[in-house]
Amino acid sequence: MRSLSFLSMEYLFLLMSILSQCLKFGSGTAAVVHAGNGDGVQPLSKIAIHKAVYALHENASVKAHPLVLGTKGGDSDWVTVEIECPKPSEDDWIAVFSPANFRQLVCQPSDDMEQFPHICSAPIKYKYANDSDADYKKTGKSSLKFQLINQREDFSFALFSGGLSDPKLVAVSNVISFANPKAPLYPRLSQGKSWNEMTVTWTSGYNVIEAVPFVEWGMKGESQSRSPAGTLTFHENDMCAPPARTVGWRDPGFIHTSFLKDLWPSSVYTYKLGHKLVDGSYVWSKSYSFKSSPYPGQDSLQRVVIFGDMGKAERDGSNEYSNYQPGSLNTTDQLIKDLKNIDIVFHIGDITYANGYISQWDQFTSQVERIASTVPYMIASGNHERDAPNSGSFYDGNDSGGECGVIAETMFYVPAENRAKFWYSTDYGMFHFCIADSEHDWREGSEQYKFIEKCLASADRRKQPWLIFVAHRVLGYSSSYWKDASFGEPMGRESLQGLWQKYKVDIAFFGHIHNYERTCPVYQGQCMHVGKSHYSGTVNGTIHVVVGGGGSHLSAFGPTQTSWSLYKDSDFGFVKLTAYNHSSLLFEYKKSSDGNVYDSFTISRDYRDVLACVHDGCEPTTLGS
C-alpha cells in the first residue's frame, strides 16, 4: 500500500512476508501460522498450487452436502463438508474449487510445475481440516462449514496434505451446484454522466447470444418500463501478469450495465434485473430500490460516506480473511446498519485486494450487495486495482497481481470519459466531487492535471458549495510511517496544492495508508485557520483527510509530530459528511467496530465567504476603474 517515489514499498514488504511464511510452513508450523495476526499477504497466494502432486488415497474421502444450493432463490448457501483421512496431519487443509473439474483445466506449464497433469487453478477459498475439530489429528475425521455464493459454476472440495507450501492431493468430493448458476446477481449502482441518470451493473452467466439483458424499473408504486443493458467481459490474455494470467485466472462471466435516464430528483425507484432467453422465457433477479440524486444545488439533507482500502472477508472464517482484511466485515456491517441514513458511498481505491485471484471479485460484490444495490457505490482506482509492470501505470510494481485495471474498470461503472483513465467528476446535490486516479500521471502539464483543474473550476459554488477532492494515494498530507512526516507522494502535494488553494477545495480525501488522520485547513505546510472542531467564514486552506482504515491491516504513524495534524487514529473506520444546507456541513469519523463518532467538526459559512480571496487563491486586482 505504501510507495517511495515510483517503487512500491509494500511490494518489498510483501516479498519479505511471503518469504517469512514459506520459512514457517517449511518448519512444520503451518497450524500455528494460520491462527496468527494478519500479515497483508493475499491468502490464496500462500498456496503453492502449481507444485501440487497427486497422492490420492483410497481410504480418504470428502463428502459435501446439500448437492443443490439456492433452492429457495438465494444467492448464497451453507455447505457441510465431511472429511475422513487415514493419515491425518495438523497441516491438512480443504480447498474449494470452482469449476468442480479443476484437474481437467487446460493450462500452460510453467518452469516450476513439477509434474503433469498440472493443477493450474487456485481454489476460491480454503480452511484447515482441524478448523472446527481439535481432535482431527487423532481421529482423522472432521466436519467443516463453508458459505458459498453463486459464481456461475459448480463446486468441489479437495483434501490436501503437506500444508500450503507442499500440497499433496489426497481426496476429492462430489460435485455441488446452485439451482440456477447463471442467475443475474450482485447489482452495483453508480451515478451516470448526468445528475438524473443512474447506472445498474451486475454479473451473470448469460452471454448476449443466450439471453438479452435488461432492467425493469420505475418510480415506486407506478408502472414499470424496461431499459436495455450492454454486456462486457474480459479474458485471460487481457491480464498483464501472474497470477491473474496463471493460477489466479477464473472466468468472470458477463458484466451488464443499464442506464436509467431522466430520473425525477430525490425520488424512490424500484428495479429488478432481467434476461430474456432465446426460447422467450425470462430469468429475474429479486427486486431492489434506490433513491435518485437530488437536483444539483438542491437544498436538502444529503449524506455521503467515504473510505478506502476495505477489501473483503469470509463470514465462514475461511482463507484467513479475518486476518487478511480484519476490519472489512465490520465496516460493511456498519454501513448496512445505517443504510437508511446514507445517500452515496465513495470507496476510494483498493477495492477487493484480489491481487490477481479473480474469483475474489465475485466475493466482494456479494459482500457489498446490500449497500451497492441501494445507493450509488462510487469507486476510485488504487494500486491494488491498477499497478502492473509495463502496463502504463505510474508505478511499476505488481500490486494488482496482473489485473492492471481491467477488472475494476469492467466490474464497476464510473462516469469517466475513458474508464481506462479512471478520473471523473460527479455531482450529488450540494456536493461537487473530483475523483483523481493516483495510478496515472497527475503532475502539472499532464492530461490528468488538466482534468483536475477543469473539474475544480467547473464547480458552481453558489449551487454546490461543498467541493471535495478524492484520490487513492496521499497526494497531500500524512504523518504516517515515512521519514519526512509527509508520507505518500510529495510531488503530488507540490503539483496540486496550488489548485486546491486556487479553487478553495474544502476537503481532500485519500486512502492508501491504513489509518485515519485529519489536518487543519492547510496550505504549504502551514495551518491557515485556527480551531479544531468548528470553522466559519473564509477558511483559507484545504482540510486533508486520510481515511484508509476501511478494513485492511492497519498502518502505524511515524514518530514526527507535525503542527498540521489534528487527529490520528490507527483503527478501522470511515467518514460521513452531512450537508444540512448550503451553509452547514458536518464531518464525522466513525469507527467500524461500533459505529460511534470519534472525531468531528462543522463548517458554517455563506456564499460570500467562498468568493472571498485567500492566500494565493485570487488573481491580482486591476488598476482600472
Side-chain angles (χ1 to χ4, degrees):
M1 304 304 305
R2 301 175 170 85
S3 61
L4 172 59
S5 185
F6 301 101
L7 176 65
S8 172
M9 289 293 294
E10 187 201 18
Y11 191 56
L12 299 178
F13 297 150
L14 183 62
L15 293 176
M16 293 170 64
S17 297
I18 292 174
L19 178 59
S20 172
Q21 293 300 322
C22 290
L23 292 174
K24 290 177 181 178
F25 288 134
S27 63
T29 59
V32 176
V33 171
H34 74 81
N37 293 325
D39 55 15
V41 179
Q42 159 62 256
L44 297 179
S45 72
K46 298 178 181 180
I47 303 172
I49 196 66
H50 58 284
K51 296 173 62 177
V53 297
Y54 288 80
L56 296 172
H57 197 294
E58 61 181 2
N59 294 324
S61 67
V62 182
K63 298 178 181 178
H65 61 87
L67 299 180
V68 182
L69 310 177
T71 55
K72 297 181 180 180
D75 53 29
S76 68
D77 217 333
W78 285 88
V79 177
T80 301
V81 180
E82 307 285 350
I83 306 166
E84 290 193 17
C85 182
K87 296 181 178 180
S89 172
E90 65 180 4
D91 60 359
D92 291 352
W93 54 285
I94 287 285
V96 184
F97 284 94
S98 179
N101 64 340
F102 62 95
R103 292 181 290 171
Q104 305 300 318
L105 296 176
V106 177
C107 68
Q108 296 296 321
S110 62
D111 293 340
D112 50 1
M113 285 183 168
E114 296 181 353
Q115 72 164 38
F116 186 86
H118 309 295
I119 298 177
C120 55
S121 174
I124 63 173
K125 60 168 66 177
Y126 65 88
K127 279 188 178 185
Y128 285 87
N130 62 6
D131 185 78
S132 60
D133 190 344
D135 292 329
Y136 168 76
K137 189 176 179 180
K138 298 178 181 178
T139 65
K141 296 182 180 180
S142 182
S143 178
L144 301 175
K145 295 282 188 180
F146 286 91
Q147 186 180 40
L148 300 184
I149 66 165
N150 192 342
Q151 291 187 256
R152 302 169 301 283
E153 297 281 358
D154 51 13
F155 303 86
S156 63
F157 299 80
L159 173 62
F160 288 88
S161 65
L164 303 181
S165 60
D166 189 26
K168 298 175 179 61
L169 181 62
V170 176
V172 180
S173 77
N174 53 290
V175 175
I176 64 174
S177 62
F178 273 83
N180 181 9
K182 293 187 173 184
L185 296 170
Y186 318 129
R188 288 89 72 183
L189 299 177
S190 172
Q191 296 275 88
K193 289 187 177 181
S194 61
W195 70 269
N196 60 347
E197 179 181 58
M198 187 75 78
T199 71
V200 186
T201 300
W202 72 96
T203 307
S204 86
Y206 292 111
N207 198 346
V208 289
I209 62 174
E210 301 175 88
V212 177
F214 63 92
V215 173
E216 185 170 279
W217 64 286
M219 200 174 289
K220 185 176 181 180
E222 299 188 5
S223 61
Q224 308 288 289
S225 60
R226 293 180 179 178
S227 292
T231 299
L232 297 173
T233 190
F234 50 88
H235 305 281
E236 192 170 3
N237 59 6
D238 294 321
M239 303 293 98
C240 295
R245 286 182 72 100
T246 55
V247 296
W249 171 255
R250 187 180 189 273
D251 191 302
F254 301 96
I255 293 89
H256 316 279
T257 299
S258 184
F259 299 84
L260 315 184
K261 300 184 178 184
D262 298 325
L263 304 179
W264 289 57
S266 303
S267 301
V268 177
Y269 287 83
T270 58
Y271 71 98
K272 60 181 178 178
L273 317 172
H275 290 263
K276 184 178 181 180
L277 305 181
V278 291
D279 64 4
S281 62
Y282 290 85
V283 176
W284 296 100
S285 74
K286 57 188 176 184
S287 294
Y288 303 90
S289 65
F290 66 85
K291 187 177 182 181
S292 59
S293 172
Y295 185 78
Q298 178 178 314
D299 199 340
S300 61
L301 183 66
Q302 297 159 15
R303 300 150 302 183
V304 180
V305 164
I306 303 175
F307 59 87
D309 307 76
M310 184 167 77
K312 59 167 285 284
E314 296 288 347
R315 295 190 186 275
D316 60 14
S318 60
N319 290 40
E320 308 174 63
Y321 264 103
S322 60
N323 289 328
Y324 178 47
Q325 313 293 350
S328 62
L329 287 181
N330 282 347
T331 300
T332 300
D333 292 345
Q334 287 297 342
L335 298 184
I336 292 172
K337 184 177 179 180
D338 195 39
L339 196 53
K340 66 180 182 298
N341 298 311
I342 298 171
D343 297 310
I344 187 170
V345 167
F346 287 84
H347 187 160
I348 60 174
D350 286 8
I351 311 300
T352 71
Y353 293 89
N355 294 6
Y357 292 88
I358 296 168
S359 63
Q360 306 306 289
W361 282 89
D362 286 321
Q363 303 283 343
F364 178 82
T365 55
S366 172
Q367 177 178 304
V368 300
E369 179 192 20
R370 288 182 62 185
I371 305 166
S373 64
T374 306
V375 299
Y377 198 94
M378 314 301 294
I379 69 168
S381 179
N383 51 307
H384 283 275
E385 284 74 58
R386 181 60 182 85
D387 293 1
N390 303 311
S391 67
S393 173
F394 202 37
Y395 303 86
D396 202 30
N398 191 25
D399 291 346
S400 77
E403 295 177 9
C404 55
V406 172
I407 304 181
E409 295 159 10
T410 308
M411 294 288 287
F412 284 84
Y413 176 86
V414 296
E417 291 300 321
N418 180 346
R419 283 159 71 182
K421 300 172 181 176
F422 222 74
W423 53 78
Y424 63 95
S425 66
T426 193
D427 296 319
Y428 192 89
M430 294 176 285
F431 290 95
H432 182 68
F433 296 92
C434 296
I435 291 82
D437 180 354
S438 63
E439 309 314 298
H440 282 86
D441 193 353
W442 26 252
R443 293 171 297 182
E444 188 169 359
S446 67
E447 181 182 1
Q448 183 171 194
Y449 182 91
K450 295 174 183 176
F451 157 79
I452 293 171
E453 179 158 28
K454 181 179 178 181
C455 180
L456 297 177
S458 68
D460 181 344
R461 302 302 288 275
R462 188 175 67 84
K463 295 180 179 177
Q464 295 176 300
W466 312 115
L467 179 56
I468 309 297
F469 177 86
V470 169
H472 175 65
R473 294 177 187 260
V474 179
L475 303 180
Y477 293 82
S478 166
S479 56
S480 285
Y481 192 76
W482 201 239
K483 59 185 179 182
D484 61 357
S486 57
F487 177 81
E489 317 302 327
M491 282 195 304
R493 185 181 63 213
E494 294 304 314
S495 295
L496 297 173
Q497 66 179 347
L499 296 182
W500 298 326
Q501 188 74 353
K502 178 179 179 181
Y503 296 105
K504 304 180 180 69
V505 172
D506 292 303
I507 310 174
F509 285 97
F510 309 97
H512 196 59
I513 299 171
H514 301 169
N515 55 33
Y516 169 78
E517 184 172 19
R518 170 170 68 95
T519 76
C520 61
V522 62
Y523 176 57
Q524 293 184 335
Q526 301 297 317
C527 289
M528 305 298 288
H529 197 291
V530 296
K532 184 175 182 178
S533 60
H534 179 70
Y535 303 102
S536 60
T538 304
V539 175
N540 292 315
T542 296
I543 297 168
H544 291 254
V545 179
V546 175
V547 61
S552 189
H553 57 289
L554 294 169
S555 303
F557 288 96
T560 304
Q561 298 300 312
T562 59
S563 60
W564 38 258
S565 182
L566 297 185
Y567 192 99
K568 302 175 185 178
D569 188 33
S570 185
D571 204 349
F572 303 110
F574 54 92
V575 161
K576 184 176 183 179
L577 301 176
T578 302
Y580 294 102
N581 50 50
H582 286 72
S583 299
S584 301
L585 179 72
L586 171 65
F587 174 107
E588 297 173 300
Y589 162 64
K590 298 186 175 187
K591 289 196 180 187
S592 301
S593 57
D594 55 19
N596 293 332
V597 177
Y598 286 80
D599 182 35
S600 66
F601 65 86
T602 57
I603 300 176
S604 300
R605 66 168 184 233
D606 295 323
Y607 178 50
R608 65 179 182 179
D609 298 321
V610 182
L611 296 179
C613 288
V614 298
H615 183 70
D616 286 350
C618 284
E619 297 296 333
T621 56
T622 179
L623 293 177
S625 61

